[in-house]
């Protein structure tokens, strides 16, 4: 057995053991977010509309698919039912409904064909479609007084609309998703492959007013997880549409990411254009980018595939070598994830870093399924 295969098999075994131990502590319905002192709090009790509330369910459905173990499905369904309260609260929801219901209800439907799960997914899709601005041809992101704001994270969420279009045989969802992807492609992704976090459009006509640094260092900078959202988001949009412009965009951003992360030991800085100090890293960016690169590899000629597969493996092995916690008594696997450059607390264990690391390992083992 090659060293690579041995590493991959051992990592998978540790993932199963770790998630099983966490599930034993969390119970069937708790929703984890950040591990504080190596323990997850239940973010669902504090904010049922929080954007990360689908990632634990996604981990559970991925492991159910890989192992067939019903305990994962049972807990995932309990999370799914609990998220119904978010529909009732409503005003806390925004463009991130894709992050919330693709890994939960839609994953459930894809694997089990459960009708109630399908209805939940369609409910979320209708909410997302309702945020579409027909004059500006974009889906607005956050709430409050930000009618023209669009963030790069939205590229993951529009995958919910592609699913709904297929599920209902109704192209209107796909049209909205494509309009939005085109808007992002032409206004947020830069020619060199770097990405702005936020674009502000005139909500009356769609004209670009400005771009903002958002969770990165500042205006004109390059927030690494934003790059990852773009890589995976456009690669998945291509998988759903076969629009070659989306694949070309995913590749351009991926190539930029690969070039930058190679200078920091295959672990990305929080922002590729931040000042040299302080040195802040974000492992969640490389875990997510790895998933996107593995998706790109599925759609490019054989001679190109190794570029993206090898880059993904290097990033995942770099995470595993120095940025993981495999202690079964501790919650959280991937360490040193950073939500935003200017946060007071940085480099910690965050649930979405674990999700993307697990998805990438399952992709390499060909045990994943189309969740997005």
């Amino acid at each position: 057995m090659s060293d690579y295969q041995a590493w991959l098999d051992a990592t998978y075994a540790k993932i199963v053991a770790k998630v099983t131990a966490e599930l034993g502590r969390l119970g069937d319905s708790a929703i984890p977010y950040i591990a504080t002192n190596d323990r997850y709090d239940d973010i669902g009790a504090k904010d049922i509309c929080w954007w990360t509330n689908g990632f634990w369910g996604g981990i559970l459905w991925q492991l159910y698919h890989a192992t067939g173990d019903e305990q994962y499905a049972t807990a995932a369904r309990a999370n799914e039912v609990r998220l119904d309260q978010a529909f009732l609260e409503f005003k806390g929801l925004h463009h991130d409904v894709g992050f919330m219901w693709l890994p939960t209800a839609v994953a459930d439907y894809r694997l089990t064909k459960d009708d109630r799960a399908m209805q939940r997914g369609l409910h979320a899709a209708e909410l997302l479609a309702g945020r579409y601005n027909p004059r500006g041809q974009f889906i607005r992101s956050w709430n409050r007084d930000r009618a023209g704001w669009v963030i790069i994270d939205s590229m993951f969420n529009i995958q919910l609309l592609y699913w709904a279009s297929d599920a209902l045989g109704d192209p209107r969802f796909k049209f909205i998703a494509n309009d939005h992807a085109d808007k992002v492609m032409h206004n947020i992704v830069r020619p060199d492959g770097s990405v702005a976090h936020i674009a502000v459009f005139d909500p009356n006509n769609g004209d670009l007013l400005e771009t903002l640094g958002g969770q990165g260092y500042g205006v004109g900078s390059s927030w690494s997880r934003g790059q990852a959202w773009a890589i995976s988001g456009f690669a998945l949009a291509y998988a759903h549409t076969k629009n070659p412009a989306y694949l070309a965009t995913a590749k351009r951003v991926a190539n930029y990411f690969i070039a930058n992360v190679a200078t920091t030991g295959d672990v990305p800085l929080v922002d590729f254009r931040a000042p040299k100090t302080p040195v802040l890293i974000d492992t969640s960016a490389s875990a997510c980018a790895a998933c996107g690169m593995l998706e790109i590899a599925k759609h490019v000629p054989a001679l190109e595939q190794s570029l993206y597969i090898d880059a993904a493996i290097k990033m995942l092995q770099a995470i595993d070598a120095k940025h993981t916690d495999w202690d079964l008594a501790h919650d959280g696997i991937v360490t040193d994830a950073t939500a935003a450059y200017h946060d007071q607390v940085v480099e910690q264990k965050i649930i979405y870093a674990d999700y993307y690391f697990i998805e990438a390992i399952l992709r390499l083992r060909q045990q994943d399924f189309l969740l997005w």
Side-chain angles (χ1 to χ4, degrees):
M1 182 183 294
S2 69
D3 290 344
Y4 162 71
Q5 191 61 50
W7 167 79
L8 189 60
D9 292 347
T11 303
Y12 170 70
K14 289 189 290 186
I15 286 169
V16 173
K18 186 68 181 265
V19 173
T20 301
E22 291 174 338
L23 181 56
R25 288 188 289 271
L26 288 166
D28 282 348
S29 63
I31 302 175
Y33 173 39
I34 291 175
T36 304
N37 297 322
D38 296 319
R39 282 290 179 272
Y40 280 134
D41 290 329
D42 179 12
I43 187 66
K46 300 176 182 178
D47 185 357
I48 197 61
C49 295
W50 187 241
W51 75 276
T52 66
N53 285 356
F55 285 105
W56 177 240
I59 289 172
L60 297 173
W61 282 120
Q62 289 282 13
L63 288 187
Y64 169 72
H65 176 260
T67 67
D69 190 333
E70 285 290 338
Q71 69 171 323
Y72 301 124
T74 298
R77 288 194 185 100
N79 269 232
E80 181 184 328
V81 170
R82 193 174 178 200
L83 283 177
D84 286 348
Q85 182 62 34
F87 286 138
L88 298 177
E89 292 194 14
F90 177 67
K91 68 179 182 179
L93 298 175
H94 42 77
H95 71 282
D96 281 327
V97 292
F99 278 132
M100 296 175 69
W101 278 281
L102 275 168
T104 54
V106 176
D108 184 359
Y109 176 72
R110 281 173 161 150
L111 293 176
T112 73
K113 301 304 178 188
D114 181 78
D115 184 67
R116 186 67 187 92
M118 180 184 186
Q119 299 309 317
R120 291 183 174 108
L122 292 175
H123 188 167
E126 292 283 6
L127 291 175
L128 185 57
R131 302 181 69 84
Y132 178 68
N133 180 321
R135 293 292 183 268
Q137 295 186 304
F138 62 82
I139 299 167
R140 67 166 292 176
S141 290
W142 292 315
N143 297 330
R144 303 196 297 276
D145 56 344
R146 298 169 175 177
W149 284 40
V150 173
I151 64 175
I152 190 62
D153 319 38
S154 62
M155 284 304 300
F156 247 104
N157 288 278
I158 64 169
Q159 314 308 324
L160 179 64
L161 300 179
Y162 290 126
W163 168 78
S165 192
D166 290 341
L168 292 176
D170 186 342
R172 66 192 171 98
F173 294 100
K174 178 179 66 177
F175 296 152
I176 291 172
N178 288 345
D179 281 354
H180 183 82
D182 291 346
K183 195 77 173 183
V184 170
M185 181 171 61
H186 294 302
N187 292 276
I188 295 183
V189 180
R190 305 179 185 120
D192 66 354
S194 66
V195 173
H197 182 201
I198 300 169
V200 181
F201 298 102
D202 184 327
N204 296 296
N205 57 28
D207 289 348
L208 179 65
L209 301 177
E210 61 180 331
T211 59
L212 303 174
Q215 288 167 246
Y217 174 72
V219 175
S221 68
S222 177
W223 178 46
S224 59
R225 185 151 48 87
Q227 310 295 141
W229 294 143
I231 295 167
S232 290
F234 279 103
L236 290 163
Y238 174 78
H240 288 294
T241 66
K242 304 307 179 190
N243 181 343
Y246 297 160
L247 181 59
T249 300
K251 289 169 61 177
R252 187 164 80 251
V253 181
N255 295 346
Y256 173 89
F257 195 104
I258 291 168
N260 278 274
V261 79
T263 68
T264 52
D266 298 309
V267 178
L269 301 174
V270 175
D271 193 303
F272 291 133
R273 294 178 178 169
K276 291 185 178 180
T277 57
V279 177
L280 301 176
I281 64 172
D282 180 15
T283 51
S284 74
S286 53
C288 179
C291 291
M293 291 177 193
L294 294 173
E295 184 64 33
I296 291 172
K298 292 163 57 177
H299 306 293
V300 297
L303 290 175
E304 289 187 59
Q305 291 172 2
S306 61
L307 169 64
Y308 301 106
I309 295 171
D310 291 350
I313 292 170
K314 284 181 181 179
M315 291 189 295
L316 295 167
Q317 290 184 326
I319 290 173
D320 186 37
K322 296 182 179 180
H323 306 282
T324 48
D325 179 354
W326 295 112
D327 189 330
L328 298 183
H330 295 170
D331 289 338
I333 296 173
V334 177
T335 63
D336 301 314
T338 299
Y341 185 89
H342 295 289
D343 278 0
Q344 291 185 342
V345 180
V346 297
E347 299 179 351
Q348 55 194 326
K349 292 189 280 189
I350 308 177
I351 192 65
Y352 49 76
D354 284 7
Y355 173 81
Y356 288 112
F357 182 80
I358 291 169
E359 180 187 299
I361 295 299
L362 293 177
R363 279 177 175 267
L364 290 171
R365 287 175 57 87
Q366 299 183 335
Q367 288 179 288
D368 66 308
F369 71 102
L370 178 62
L371 186 151
W372 301 103

